[in-house]
Amino acid sequence: MSRLGIFVDRRTLSSSDQLTSLIRCRDAAEEMGHSVEFIFPVDIRKIPQMDALFIRARTDPMNITYVASRMAAFAGIPVIDDPESIQVCSDKVNMYMHLARAGVAIPRTLFLSKEDIHPSRVRDIMDDLGTPLVLKEPSTSFSLRVERVEDPAAFIRVARRYLKMSDWVVAQEYVQSTYDWRIGVLRGRFLYACKYIIPSQTFKIQDSVNGHVVYCAVESVPPDAVPAPIRDLGVAAGKAIGDGLYGVDIKDGKEPKVIEVNDNPSLEGGEDGSYPHVYREIVHALLET
Amino acid sequence: MNGVSPGIATPAEQQGGVPAAAVNRRGFHLARDRVYTVRYGGYTTFVSENYSYKSETYYAILARELAGEAVAPDTQSMLDAFVVPVCLERAGHCGIPVAAYTIMHSCAPAPAIVYGLNYFASTSHFEVLTGDARDREKVRHVTNGGKYPCCSQPISPDMAVTRAVSVFGKVLSPVPGMQEMAGSVWECFRIPLVELVCLSGPGGPVLSSLCPVRYSRLQPAERRLLKACIFGQVFL
């Protein structure tokens, strides 16, 4: 019997969906004969006593999850998400650099610094990438700090706001779609697939519309209904990042393109509805390989 | 890069490392926000006053790393150095004496030094708890009202907070043990310009955190040492 630590924080436990998902994970591990301990930030020194660590909290290199992941790495125990995956996936510049280096199809993308944000350069960028285009602050998650801009004035306004948080920002070709594929990848292998149906009021999977947060609908897709090019692209994108657990977002079209690769992918929204063994596979990857 | 343009280069890249102003040593000055590169020990070493996450320096180093170039510091070292518990764990693994610490959400027993652990925290900013009525407010400040955890390091009565600027592992501090500490930190993190915050007591200094250093804060002797390092004189 091995000991699995599940690292959580207060925010993780703030929704019933998250709690239910954590309990499913714990049950899966216990059914496989392992013990499970939930580890909170104040218990971080317990990490070296575990045989593996599964992080279920919002990851970022500047927060406590990175501390937990590095502590596991220092102790030589398997961890999802590993520090390198947190570092790459939390920063869209880093993530797109990894994808591009591996030849994974992505929308046309530029990295811009403050010297780029002047009218003539912005017009050139909009001519190059087309309009509208999408601006992203690199450490955005849950579609925060992602905006579609239609003209140079909006471009400059949004870019200047993002440049207060990062010295580089991402400008990207806009790819219209009514849904995103989400391909789950674990250790370089296909794990699950679902569709995020984008709310009609927005172009993002989550947004604030007239003061109300609107969420995408989640539709789990069985393995035999996942087109091979989508599945293969998702796996290739996961491999381009590392050897962990990833949720790869793909825009379907004539040529599918990866929009982003997420570490710590959500599993509480029904993403794994057609894949009842997702948590067993994660526990197996952490403790039995 | 397959549809990706690397965007604008950093100042150091635009000028091929040491900036044009540095070619004439007599006219050389350390310019604000400027990044200097030095070839040292087989690594392209980046001298910067800002090694923070998502800074120009961070992205310049990342681009070189992904191109396969040997760089110092690497981006993981930059992240490790400025997240206090990670810094201490890594330093401890490198054999450096480090402060004891705990992660807390609210109260920390005084006397102690506390650092925020969140996206907005900087190691340059810490609070010293002394056991008086203001401690609660200090902890509220670093934890953003209890929203984020903090890293608390107990201080014994015979300890003092001491600071020293390390330039390529060399310090001008007279504090006993600080030179050895700086040398070890340089070997562990390879950050050429960094401030050591230590808790110093009868047993010598223990590392509390690492902080970035503005060129404008350097003492004249530290400035001369840094310039000498950038010109390669110190390594000869």
Side-chain angles (χ1 to χ4, degrees), chain A residues 10 66 70 113 137 139 167, chain B residues 8 54 56 80 105 119 146:
Chain A
R10 284 190 255 184
Y66 184 72
R70 282 299 270 148
S113 70
E137 193 278 313
S139 58
D167 282 353
Chain B
I8 197 164
K54 299 189 295 175
E56 284 281 2
D80 287 356
H105 260 292
Y119 190 81

Side-chain angles (χ1 to χ4, degrees), chain A residues 34-78:
Chain A
H34 306 298
S35 66
V36 172
E37 185 165 346
F38 290 104
I39 297 178
F40 290 84
V42 293
D43 305 321
I44 207 158
R45 288 199 177 277
K46 289 183 181 173
I47 288 173
Q49 300 162 20
M50 301 292 124
D51 294 304
L53 185 69
F54 185 33
I55 295 174
R56 291 276 85 188
R58 185 172 169 180
T59 53
D60 188 278
M62 301 307 289
N63 75 17
I64 193 71
T65 57
Y66 184 72
V67 180
S69 184
R70 282 299 270 148
M71 284 194 73
F74 285 134
I77 66 171

Side-chain angles (χ1 to χ4, degrees), chain A residues 10-11 41-45 60-64 66-67 70-71 74-75 83-84 86-87 90-91 93-94 96-101 103-116 121 137-139 145 165-168, chain B residues 1-10 13 33 50 53-60 62-63 65-68 75-76 79-80 82-83 85-86 89-91 93 99-105 117-121 146-149:
Chain A
R10 284 190 255 184
R11 186 180 294 185
V42 293
D43 305 321
I44 207 158
R45 288 199 177 277
D60 188 278
M62 301 307 289
N63 75 17
I64 193 71
Y66 184 72
V67 180
R70 282 299 270 148
M71 284 194 73
F74 285 134
E84 293 78 17
I86 293 175
Q87 184 185 354
S90 297
D91 173 7
V93 171
N94 199 338
Y96 290 127
M97 282 182 171
H98 273 78
L99 294 174
R101 188 177 65 163
V104 173
I106 59 174
R108 285 186 302 140
T109 301
L110 292 168
F111 305 137
L112 310 174
S113 70
K114 62 177 183 288
E115 283 79 10
D116 291 300
R121 173 76 176 125
E137 193 278 313
S139 58
R145 301 193 297 279
M165 291 172 262
S166 170
D167 282 353
W168 284 16
Chain B
M1 285 173 67
N2 190 35
V4 175
S5 159
I8 197 164
T10 64
E13 287 176 326
D33 291 336
N50 182 6
Y53 179 46
K54 299 189 295 175
S55 62
E56 284 281 2
T57 310
Y58 181 86
Y59 285 131
L62 177 66
E65 258 178 10
L66 290 177
T75 52
Q76 186 171 71
L79 295 178
D80 287 356
F82 302 115
V83 179
V86 179
E89 291 291 334
R90 177 162 166 172
H93 277 80
Y101 75 90
T102 52
I103 306 294
M104 317 196 88
H105 260 292
L117 283 177
N118 63 71
Y119 190 81
F120 308 101
K147 188 174 178 184
Y148 302 108

Side-chain angles (χ1 to χ4, degrees), chain B residues 11-233:
Chain B
E13 287 176 326
Q14 288 167 346
Q15 299 179 26
V18 178
V23 175
N24 177 357
R25 280 169 41 202
R26 295 179 67 182
F28 175 66
H29 67 283
L30 295 163
R32 186 180 173 199
D33 291 336
R34 200 146 211 173
V35 181
Y36 303 91
T37 55
V38 179
R39 286 295 294 175
Y40 177 59
Y43 291 84
T44 302
T45 302
F46 284 70
V47 179
S48 172
E49 55 182 354
N50 182 6
Y51 292 102
S52 58
Y53 179 46
K54 299 189 295 175
S55 62
E56 284 281 2
T57 310
Y58 181 86
Y59 285 131
I61 291 174
L62 177 66
R64 301 274 191 108
E65 258 178 10
L66 290 177
E69 188 172 340
V71 289
D74 57 37
T75 52
Q76 186 171 71
S77 296
M78 292 165 71
L79 295 178
D80 287 356
F82 302 115
V83 179
V84 176
V86 179
C87 172
L88 298 184
E89 291 291 334
R90 177 162 166 172
H93 277 80
C94 290
I96 297 167
V98 297
Y101 75 90
T102 52
I103 306 294
M104 317 196 88
H105 260 292
S106 50
C107 314
I113 182 169
V114 288
Y115 296 88
L117 283 177
N118 63 71
Y119 190 81
F120 308 101
S122 164
T123 49
S124 303
H125 182 82
F126 55 80
E127 297 283 358
V128 177
L129 308 183
T130 54
D132 65 26
R134 291 169 50 225
D135 284 358
R136 184 176 289 271
E137 190 52 40
K138 290 175 181 173
V139 172
R140 277 179 57 82
H141 181 61
V142 297
T143 61
N144 199 353
K147 188 174 178 184
Y148 302 108
C150 66
C151 175
S152 170
Q153 300 168 5
I155 307 175
S156 59
D158 54 359
M159 279 181 158
V161 177
T162 52
R163 309 175 74 142
V165 171
S166 165
V167 178
F168 285 85
K170 297 174 175 60
V171 291
L172 302 174
S173 166
V175 174
M178 198 62 98
Q179 179 56 64
E180 292 75 12
M181 170 78 73
S184 300
V185 167
W186 162 242
E187 289 300 322
C188 189
F189 293 92
R190 311 302 287 186
I191 299 176
L193 180 62
V194 69
E195 183 171 31
L196 317 179
V197 179
C198 295
L199 306 179
S200 295
V206 295
L207 185 65
S208 173
S209 70
L210 298 175
C211 306
V213 185
R214 283 276 169 200
Y215 298 140
S216 58
R217 279 196 48 230
L218 292 173
Q219 299 298 314
E222 292 165 342
R223 193 180 299 260
R224 283 195 298 276
L225 176 60
L226 182 58
K227 287 180 183 178
C229 289
I230 289 173
F231 281 106
Q233 293 171 326

Side-chain angles (χ1 to χ4, degrees), chain A residues 105-149:
Chain A
I106 59 174
R108 285 186 302 140
T109 301
L110 292 168
F111 305 137
L112 310 174
S113 70
K114 62 177 183 288
E115 283 79 10
D116 291 300
I117 311 305
H118 57 81
S120 64
R121 173 76 176 125
V122 165
R123 278 193 294 273
D124 288 345
I125 293 165
M126 297 192 95
D127 287 345
D128 181 17
L129 298 181
T131 51
L133 58 75
V134 178
L135 288 176
K136 301 179 179 183
E137 193 278 313
S139 58
T140 172
S141 59
F142 298 104
S143 298
L144 293 168
R145 301 193 297 279
V146 173
E147 291 191 41
R148 186 173 54 187
V149 293

